[in-house]
């Protein structure tokens, strides 16, 4: 049979009758009328009524099939397959044509059904094409993109909490005062392009230089469609005047060794681009961006409070859903950039022979790129803020992009038209993962709820601080003040232990206040109760159980420093993590002095500690 049936125009085409009309005709026949008289009255052929009346007398019901060949699988089963396919795609596990065929075979084998049209119950490609064509109103084939599991773990609870805070922060703020910023890179690769070549050529090639180099650019835009001047960051140790000529109006240029923005560059971008723009605006201003530690410092917070600017951090790993520039602006921007770059690489001999983009030409290329988007910039930016639900405020715009909730589905397990509860549970575990209580949670520098603005009090910023670029360290990274602990210890502690604190001589309050993550201690461990210098990694049970990383003597220079003749220590190649009790801790010691090649030197010796116990 051909893959697409083409009827012969010379043959007679049979008319398809509605099931309702046939059932009414069968009722008339059942009431005593002849088949021929009913056929004449309803204009349904005599042979059709006779065939259906035989079935009607047996089942008291009739099912009218479609014209032509019938589907291999029942209609209800195909609808169930479509529902499962959509559910798998919603949860981030779409299936391919091969997986669909394998799933159908598995299902038929499980229910003990043998389909003669399928070889070993395995459907062919013709069936898949016909299946997709029959249900093209609900499913279709698309190219998918991969996302990390961390991004897939963004749930509706996280988004709802974010919008709860966001709604309070954006109350009464006009769209011109809502600004989103993000950093992207423009690479030296114009990308692939469709060309005309010899028929059957597998690998058509185009001669054009390209490289993996890229230039970082920081963009910012407001919810009313206005694009602020860009901030270009070159990967270089120095900055030259020719690298700053011919760019978009108001553009600022800088450089860094990595080519990416850091805390100092972010501060300059904030003071040179954001602050001048916000000075021209009245009322409260809101800045929305991703939660990176390099994007925030004490000085940025002070400037924000001074100019009535609220910072809002997006939920972690959710920029593909909640970042307006990511959602609607960067894709057309990079498409226009590739076109401009391709024209530049083919316009003159110098650009053709260049191995990569000259930094002298980058400003003009960036200007041409933004000029191509000048008519659509405002529309794309507004669409980005609308798609992310920021302006106008609408959390459903983001929630609709997440997998649907099925917790309130009270359908029967035997209902073939709905997805089974087991499949939904499996997809949830595959997307979000199962909770692991033993997994160590990574500490975050910024303890700010997404969507909530931040103030200086959130970071305990003192007005007397003179260093605006000084970073905030976690409490676990703060060195232990040994002198302060000694003064709080008992008065009968020996004066020789000014740099050693015996835990047994300290109260429980002092222990809990000074033994924390990052503290260096001396631990007696093993059957021989050998002493080790240990850095506490995690407090498993405060005041009772700890986990630490043990050091060992270094093999360099016979484990002694040539200048001071003091023993030196290192962490082993395979780091030793062990748990120990509070009773195993002998003393708290000062952090070691860092030497070259990861070596460390302590101010005390284990032998002296052993003699003092």
């Amino acid at each position: 049979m051909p893959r697409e049936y083409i009827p012969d125009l010379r043959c007679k085409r049979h008319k398809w009758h509605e099931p309702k009309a046939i059932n009414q005709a069968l009722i008339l026949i059942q009431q005593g009328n002849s088949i021929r008289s009913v056929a004449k009255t309803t204009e349904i052929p005599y042979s059709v009524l006779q065939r259906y009346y035989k079935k009607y007398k047996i089942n008291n019901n009739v099912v009218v099939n479609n014209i032509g060949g019938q589907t291999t699988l029942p209609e209800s089963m195909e609808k169930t397959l479509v529902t499962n396919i959509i559910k798998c795609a919603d949860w981030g596990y779409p299936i391919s044509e091969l997986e669909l065929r394998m799933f159908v075979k598995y299902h038929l084998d499980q229910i003990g059904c043998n389909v003669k049209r399928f070889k070993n119950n395995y459907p062919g490609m013709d069936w898949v094409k016909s299946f997709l064509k029959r249900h093209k109103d609900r499913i279709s084939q698309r190219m998918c993109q991969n996302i990390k599991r961390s991004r897939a773990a963004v749930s509706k609870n996280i988004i709802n909490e974010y919008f709860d805070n966001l709604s309070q922060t954006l109350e009464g703020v006009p769209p011109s005062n809502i600004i989103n910023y993000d950093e992207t890179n423009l690479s030296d690769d114009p990308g692939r392009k469709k060309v005309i070549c010899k028929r059957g050529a597998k690998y058509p090639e185009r001669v054009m230089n390209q490289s993996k180099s890229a230039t970082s650019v920081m963009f910012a835009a407001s919810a009313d469609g206005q694009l602020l001047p860009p901030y270009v960051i070159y990967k270089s140790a120095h900055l030259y005047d020719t690298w700053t000529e011919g760019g978009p109006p108001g553009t600022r240029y800088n450089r860094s060794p990595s080519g990416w923005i850091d805390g100092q560059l972010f501060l300059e971008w904030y003071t040179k681009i954001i602050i001048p723009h916000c000075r021209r605006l009245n009322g409260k201003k809101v800045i929305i961006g991703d939660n990176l530690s390099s994007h925030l410092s004490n000085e940025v917070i002070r400037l924000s409070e001074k100019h009535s600017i609220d910072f809002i951090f997006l939920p972690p790993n959710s920029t593909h859903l909640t970042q307006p520039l990511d959602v609607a602006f960067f894709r057309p921007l990079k498409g226009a950039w590739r076109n401009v770059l391709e024209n530049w690489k083919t316009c003159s001999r110098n650009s053709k022979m260049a191995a990569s983009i000259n930094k002298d030409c980058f400003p003009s290329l960036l200007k041409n790129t933004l000029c191509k988007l000048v008519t659509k910039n405002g529309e794309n930016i507004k669409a980005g803020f609308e798609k992310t639900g920021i302006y106008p405020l609408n959390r459903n715009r983001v929630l609709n992009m997440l997998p649907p909730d099925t917790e309130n589905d009270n359908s029967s397990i035997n209902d073939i038209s709905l997805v089974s509860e087991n499949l939904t549970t499996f997809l949830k575990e595959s997307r979000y993962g199962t909770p692991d209580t033993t997994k160590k949670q990574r500490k975050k520098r910024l303890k700010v709820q997404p969507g909530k603005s931040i103030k200086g009090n959130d970071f305990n910023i003192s007005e007397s601080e003179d260093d605006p670029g000084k970073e905030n360290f976690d409490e676990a990274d703060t060195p232990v003040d040994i002198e302060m602990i000694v003064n709080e210890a008992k008065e009968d502690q020996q004066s020789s232990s000014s740099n050693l604190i015996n835990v047994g001589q300290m109260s429980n309050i002092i222990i809990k206040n000074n033994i924390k993550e990052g503290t260096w201690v001396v631990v007696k461990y093993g059957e021989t109760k050998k002493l080790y210098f240990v850095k506490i990694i995690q407090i498993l049970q405060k005041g009772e159980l700890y986990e630490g990383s043990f050091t060992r003597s270094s093999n360099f220079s016979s484990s002694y420093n040539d200048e001071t003749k003091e023993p030196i220590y290192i962490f082993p190649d395979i780091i030793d993590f062990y748990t120990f009790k509070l009773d195993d801790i002998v003393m708290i010691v000062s952090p070691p002095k860092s030497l070259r090649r990861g070596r460390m030197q302590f101010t005390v010796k284990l032998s002296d500690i052993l003699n003092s116990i």
Side-chain angles (χ1 to χ4, degrees):
M1 181 178 179
R3 300 190 178 184
E4 185 173 352
Y5 176 71
I6 300 177
D8 190 351
L9 299 179
R10 296 171 297 178
C11 299
K12 181 181 178 180
R13 300 299 303 275
H14 296 281
K15 183 180 179 181
W16 185 77
H17 302 279
E18 293 287 341
K20 183 178 180 180
I22 293 180
N23 286 322
Q24 290 178 353
L26 294 176
I27 293 174
L28 293 176
I29 297 173
Q30 188 72 15
Q31 292 175 356
N33 299 313
S34 64
I35 299 177
R36 194 170 298 279
S37 61
V38 173
K40 186 176 181 180
T41 304
T42 59
E43 296 183 354
I44 298 176
Y46 173 83
S47 59
V48 174
L49 291 178
Q50 187 181 32
R51 183 172 66 253
Y52 280 116
Y53 184 63
K54 290 180 180 180
K55 299 179 181 178
Y56 184 79
K57 288 192 299 183
I58 299 174
N59 301 324
N60 291 328
N61 191 15
V62 64
V63 178
V64 181
N65 297 327
N66 295 326
I67 297 178
Q70 305 303 310
T71 59
T72 304
L73 301 180
E75 182 180 0
S76 58
M77 185 179 294
E78 287 200 352
K79 289 183 178 180
T80 304
L81 286 176
V82 172
T83 306
N84 279 272
I85 291 171
I86 295 175
K87 179 62 65 175
C88 291
D90 288 341
W91 284 93
Y93 293 91
I95 63 175
S96 61
E97 292 181 348
L98 176 62
E99 292 167 336
L100 174 60
R101 296 164 63 192
M102 295 175 63
F103 176 76
V104 172
K105 172 178 171 54
Y106 174 80
H107 177 67
L108 294 176
D109 292 342
Q110 289 296 317
I111 64 177
C113 179
N114 186 19
V115 180
K116 294 182 179 180
R117 291 189 183 181
F118 297 159
K119 184 177 181 180
N120 296 328
N121 277 348
Y122 189 73
M125 287 300 301
D126 290 344
W127 178 86
V128 175
K129 299 296 183 185
S130 301
F131 175 80
L132 295 176
K133 185 176 180 180
R134 285 193 296 272
H135 302 281
K136 62 182 179 180
D137 58 329
R138 296 189 63 192
I139 56 176
S140 63
Q141 288 182 298
R142 291 288 186 271
M143 293 294 294
C144 66
Q145 59 179 357
N146 300 325
I147 63 172
K148 295 182 179 180
R149 286 189 175 273
S150 57
R151 289 182 177 267
V154 178
S155 62
K156 291 189 175 183
N157 292 334
I158 297 175
I159 298 301
N160 282 322
E161 183 179 358
Y162 159 68
F163 273 99
D164 290 341
N165 296 325
L166 185 66
S167 59
Q168 299 177 7
T169 306
L170 296 183
E171 186 176 358
V173 180
S176 59
N177 292 13
I178 304 174
I179 301 173
N180 174 236
Y181 69 87
D182 196 15
E183 180 184 10
T184 188
N185 60 4
L186 301 178
S187 63
D188 181 26
D189 185 5
R192 304 173 65 183
K193 185 179 181 180
K194 283 188 177 181
V195 295
I196 302 175
C197 59
K198 180 182 177 181
R199 183 178 180 86
K202 292 185 178 180
Y203 306 105
E205 296 177 345
R206 177 176 61 168
V207 179
M208 181 176 294
N209 287 335
Q210 63 177 2
S211 65
K212 295 182 179 180
S213 62
T215 303
S216 301
V217 184
M218 175 72 86
F219 288 96
S222 58
D224 62 350
Q226 182 181 359
L227 182 66
L228 276 63
Y231 187 81
V232 180
I233 306 168
Y234 295 111
K235 184 179 180 180
S236 176
H238 305 283
L239 187 65
Y240 299 93
D241 56 349
T242 56
W243 297 0
T244 64
E245 298 174 353
T251 304
R252 298 194 66 87
Y253 305 86
N254 211 324
R255 83 286 183 197
S256 69
S258 63
W260 292 97
I261 197 167
D262 54 22
Q264 191 64 31
L265 295 182
F266 184 84
L267 177 60
E268 183 185 1
W269 167 81
Y270 193 75
T271 55
K272 302 298 183 181
I273 301 294
I274 296 298
I275 295 300
H277 176 77
C278 291
R279 285 175 179 171
R280 297 190 291 268
L281 302 176
N282 297 324
K284 179 182 177 181
K285 280 79 68 175
V286 176
I287 307 295
I288 303 175
D290 47 15
N291 189 359
L292 290 180
S293 58
S294 61
H295 289 176
L296 201 62
S297 64
N298 297 348
E299 183 63 20
V300 171
I301 296 299
R302 291 194 185 95
L303 291 174
S304 301
E305 293 178 348
K306 180 179 179 181
H307 296 89
S308 300
I309 301 175
D310 283 355
F311 249 97
I312 292 180
F313 285 142
L314 300 173
N317 303 310
S318 69
T319 55
H320 63 296
L321 300 173
T322 57
Q323 184 87 276
L325 294 179
D326 264 351
V327 171
F329 179 72
F330 282 157
R331 181 169 183 176
L333 171 71
K334 294 190 177 183
W337 166 257
R338 285 192 290 267
N339 293 335
V340 171
L341 182 61
E342 181 182 356
N343 294 335
W344 177 78
K345 286 181 176 290
T346 57
C347 65
S348 64
R349 178 175 176 82
N350 292 335
S351 57
K352 288 181 180 180
M353 302 303 294
S356 61
I357 303 176
N358 298 326
K359 291 184 174 63
D360 300 345
C361 303
F362 183 83
S364 60
L365 295 178
L366 179 60
K367 181 179 180 180
N368 294 338
T369 301
L370 296 181
C371 288
K372 280 183 172 291
L373 295 175
V374 67
T375 57
K376 297 183 179 180
N377 268 347
E379 298 177 4
N380 291 335
I381 294 171
K382 290 179 181 179
F385 278 90
E386 180 183 1
K387 182 69 174 178
T388 55
I390 296 177
Y391 188 85
L393 193 65
N394 184 9
R395 68 179 66 195
N396 291 329
R397 296 286 287 170
V398 180
L399 294 176
N400 291 338
M401 293 187 283
L402 296 176
D405 260 339
T406 56
E407 296 178 357
N408 298 327
D409 188 3
N410 297 322
S411 60
S412 173
I413 299 178
N414 296 325
D415 191 351
I416 195 172
S417 64
L418 298 177
V419 182
S420 65
E421 183 179 355
N422 291 334
L423 175 62
T424 304
T425 305
F426 168 76
L427 292 174
K428 281 186 177 181
E429 292 179 356
S430 300
R431 183 179 179 94
Y432 298 132
T434 56
D436 186 3
T437 57
T438 61
K439 183 178 179 181
K440 292 190 295 184
Q441 299 294 331
R442 184 178 178 182
K443 295 179 293 184
K444 296 182 180 180
R445 179 188 297 272
L446 303 176
K447 305 295 183 181
V448 181
Q449 295 182 4
K452 185 178 181 180
S453 62
I454 46 180
K455 298 293 184 179
N457 296 334
D458 297 332
F459 295 87
N460 296 325
I461 299 177
S462 174
E463 297 295 336
S464 61
E465 293 181 2
D466 297 326
D467 187 5
K470 186 177 180 180
E471 298 182 357
N472 293 325
F473 294 94
D474 288 340
E475 184 182 3
D477 297 330
T478 306
V480 178
D481 191 346
I482 298 298
E483 298 296 335
M484 181 186 67
I485 302 175
V486 170
N487 294 333
E488 295 179 358
K490 292 186 177 182
E491 296 179 356
D492 58 347
Q493 189 172 356
Q494 298 179 1
S495 60
S496 60
S497 60
S498 58
N499 55 353
L500 304 174
I501 292 83
N502 191 324
V503 177
Q505 299 175 357
M506 300 167 59
S507 64
N508 292 334
I509 297 177
I510 298 178
I511 293 175
K512 292 180 181 179
N513 290 339
N514 296 282
I515 295 184
K516 49 181 174 284
E517 295 178 2
T519 303
W520 284 90
V521 296
V522 176
V523 175
K524 52 183 179 180
Y525 195 79
E527 297 179 356
T528 58
K529 298 298 181 180
K530 186 177 179 180
L531 299 183
Y532 296 90
F533 286 115
V534 181
K535 183 178 182 180
I536 293 181
I537 302 300
Q538 186 178 8
I539 300 176
L540 302 178
Q541 190 172 356
K542 192 168 184 179
E544 295 185 12
L545 193 61
Y546 302 88
E547 181 182 15
S549 177
F550 283 62
T551 62
R552 64 174 177 85
S553 298
S554 173
N555 294 326
F556 297 99
S557 302
S558 302
S559 300
Y560 282 89
N561 192 334
D562 294 337
E563 298 179 357
T564 61
K565 302 300 180 181
E566 296 288 341
I568 55 179
Y569 299 86
I570 61 171
F571 287 114
D573 295 336
I574 301 178
I575 301 179
D576 295 330
F577 289 107
Y578 294 101
T579 58
F580 48 89
K581 298 180 180 179
L582 180 64
D583 297 338
D584 296 330
I585 301 177
V586 179
M587 298 176 180
I588 301 176
V589 296
S590 300
K593 178 182 178 182
S594 298
L595 305 177
R596 297 176 60 187
R597 301 181 182 178
R599 297 181 295 170
M600 299 169 289
Q601 181 180 353
F602 292 87
T603 57
V604 295
K605 298 180 180 180
L606 292 178
S607 58
D608 296 340
I609 299 174
L610 184 61
N611 296 331
S612 63
I613 296 177

